[in-house]
Amino acid sequence: MNESVFNPAGPQADRIAGMWWYMFSVSSVVWTLVVIALLYAAWHGHRRDVADQSDETNDRLRRPVSIAVGITVFILVGTLVYDVFTGEALASLPRDNALRIRITGHQWWWEVEYIDPVPGNHITTANEIHIPVGEPVQIIGSSADVIHSFWIPDLAGKKDLIPGHATAMWLQADKPGIYRGQCAEFCGHQHAKMAVLVMAEPRPQFNTWYKSQQLPAAPPSDSLSRVGEKVFMSRGCPVCHTVGGTLALGRIGPSLTHIGSSYTLAAGTLKNTRGNLAGWIVDPQGIKPGVKMPPNDLSGSELQAILSYLTSLK
Ligand code: CUA
């Protein structure tokens, strides 16, 4: 899994990395020259009282100081111009029929909605964003509570998600892979455990995934999962979670319609394994203190049943 601005995997990230290297090089040269000048002055200069400074000395200094000021202004203006052009370029990826994804920040997870031209094909997932490789994708961001910041270092710069205000950005991955991102704006207790994954896949693979997500949850196929579904529905779970095709329609927490095929749990906090899922259901507060999910007091057999049910939701 990648997560580094030095490893750009898309046109936006490329531009940002280019700008970073430019600033790093210029700053390094300036710093080196300043240090050389400082050491030169320390070794070769000699102490003189202010009162002794003649007009001649002032004249001698005027030239180098003017040149240094000129170079400084030139560098600053150059950086400003480069910055403006980079900003323009970052916003200039639009395409008419591009895939549009609405990302809503929540404390502390990401709601991901694919805005399909056919309303019936609209899907809602969480924390994992599948995109087709080599195509610009429009991200429309907002927040359900406080300000979050959407940041996939390998693919693009940061974008704030602001309550009541939609922001837009473009994203493109040129290489298939899983790119990790992280909320980049302090948003409360579990800000650090608010990760997001972007899975960039070739178009056909993306289409298969997209179709699979449009399906409602598969009904439980074995007796343990059927018991698990009953436990799930009779506890508080449906108040907060949706399972497509069932009476669970909660929108407070992530949709669990395809939780069995998700890579991680709790916004990148845990790898999605049966054991981690069990720990998360029983004691989410121990894993992510302050999270909105309450602990669940289940018997061993109820827990096993609910695990069978949830892991079957592929
Ligand atoms: Cu969301 Cu920090």
Side-chain angles (χ1 to χ4, degrees):
M1 211 176 298
N2 306 305
E3 190 180 9
S4 167
V5 282
F6 299 122
N7 187 23
Q12 262 100 346
D14 256 339
R15 290 219 165 79
I16 292 169
M19 173 126 199
W20 145 258
W21 284 114
Y22 161 80
M23 290 174 77
F24 177 73
S25 319
V26 171
S27 311
S28 302
V29 170
V30 170
W31 184 83
T32 309
L33 292 178
V34 168
V35 169
I36 289 171
L38 183 73
L39 294 178
Y40 180 86
W43 272 315
H44 297 279
H46 26 129
R47 188 172 268 277
R48 221 182 269 123
D49 284 337
V50 177
D52 288 350
Q53 282 189 1
S54 59
D55 284 349
E56 187 197 335
T57 318
N58 282 339
D59 283 344
R60 207 155 48 78
L61 281 176
R62 189 165 290 137
R63 223 172 115 85
V65 167
S66 307
I67 292 172
V69 168
I71 292 174
T72 306
V73 169
F74 179 78
I75 290 174
L76 289 177
V77 171
T79 306
L80 179 70
V81 170
Y82 188 8
D83 181 61
V84 168
F85 276 99
T86 304
E88 287 287 312
L90 291 186
S92 70
L93 201 60
R95 202 166 85 168
D96 280 349
N97 55 352
L99 183 65
R100 292 169 72 215
I101 304 174
R102 191 185 296 129
I103 308 275
T104 308
H106 292 259
Q107 285 175 317
W108 293 278
W109 60 284
W110 313 84
E111 189 177 357
V112 183
E113 296 166 89
Y114 288 74
I115 307 168
D116 199 285
V118 182
N121 293 342
H122 188 100
I123 60 170
T124 302
T125 66
N127 304 324
E128 291 175 12
I129 307 168
H130 289 246
I131 60 169
V133 167
E135 292 180 30
V137 172
Q138 189 178 31
I139 303 286
I140 299 156
S142 71
S143 167
D145 35 50
V146 298
I147 298 177
H148 303 270
S149 180
F150 179 75
W151 188 33
I152 313 290
D154 291 56
L155 298 180
K158 298 170 186 172
K159 196 68 166 180
D160 276 2
L161 306 184
I162 302 162
H165 173 80
T167 48
M169 68 181 284
W170 291 85
L171 203 70
Q172 179 175 322
D174 290 334
K175 287 176 268 183
I178 301 179
Y179 303 98
R180 190 180 183 278
Q182 170 66 43
C183 181
E185 176 82 39
F186 181 70
C187 55
H189 202 157
Q190 290 301 337
H191 157 70
K193 287 183 181 162
M194 186 168 170
V196 55
L197 298 182
V198 172
M199 338 310 237
E201 306 157 329
R203 214 355 142 161
Q205 203 178 324
F206 170 80
N207 287 344
T208 310
W209 173 84
Y210 194 63
K211 287 229 170 59
S212 75
Q213 295 294 306
Q214 286 162 3
L215 301 171
S221 58
D222 61 280
S223 56
L224 189 58
S225 303
R226 273 193 286 276
V227 174
E229 187 186 29
K230 284 207 184 75
V231 177
F232 182 89
M233 295 300 168
S234 62
R235 297 290 179 138
C237 315
V239 176
C240 297
H241 296 286
T242 293
V243 176
T246 73
L247 291 174
L249 298 168
R251 292 289 302 270
I252 295 168
S255 160
L256 302 179
T257 308
H258 301 280
I259 184 71
S261 61
S262 115
Y263 206 79
T264 67
L265 300 170
T269 306
L270 301 166
K271 201 157 188 309
N272 187 7
T273 63
R274 196 179 169 99
N276 283 341
L277 184 58
W280 177 252
I281 293 170
V282 173
D283 185 22
Q285 298 295 328
I287 294 165
K288 208 166 161 177
V291 70
K292 301 270 156 68
M293 177 149 156
N296 288 286
D297 188 13
L298 300 165
S299 71
S301 55
E302 284 174 324
L303 180 62
Q304 289 307 325
I306 219 169
L307 288 173
S308 278
Y309 173 57
L310 290 176
T311 52
S312 76
L313 301 176
K314 298 285 186 192

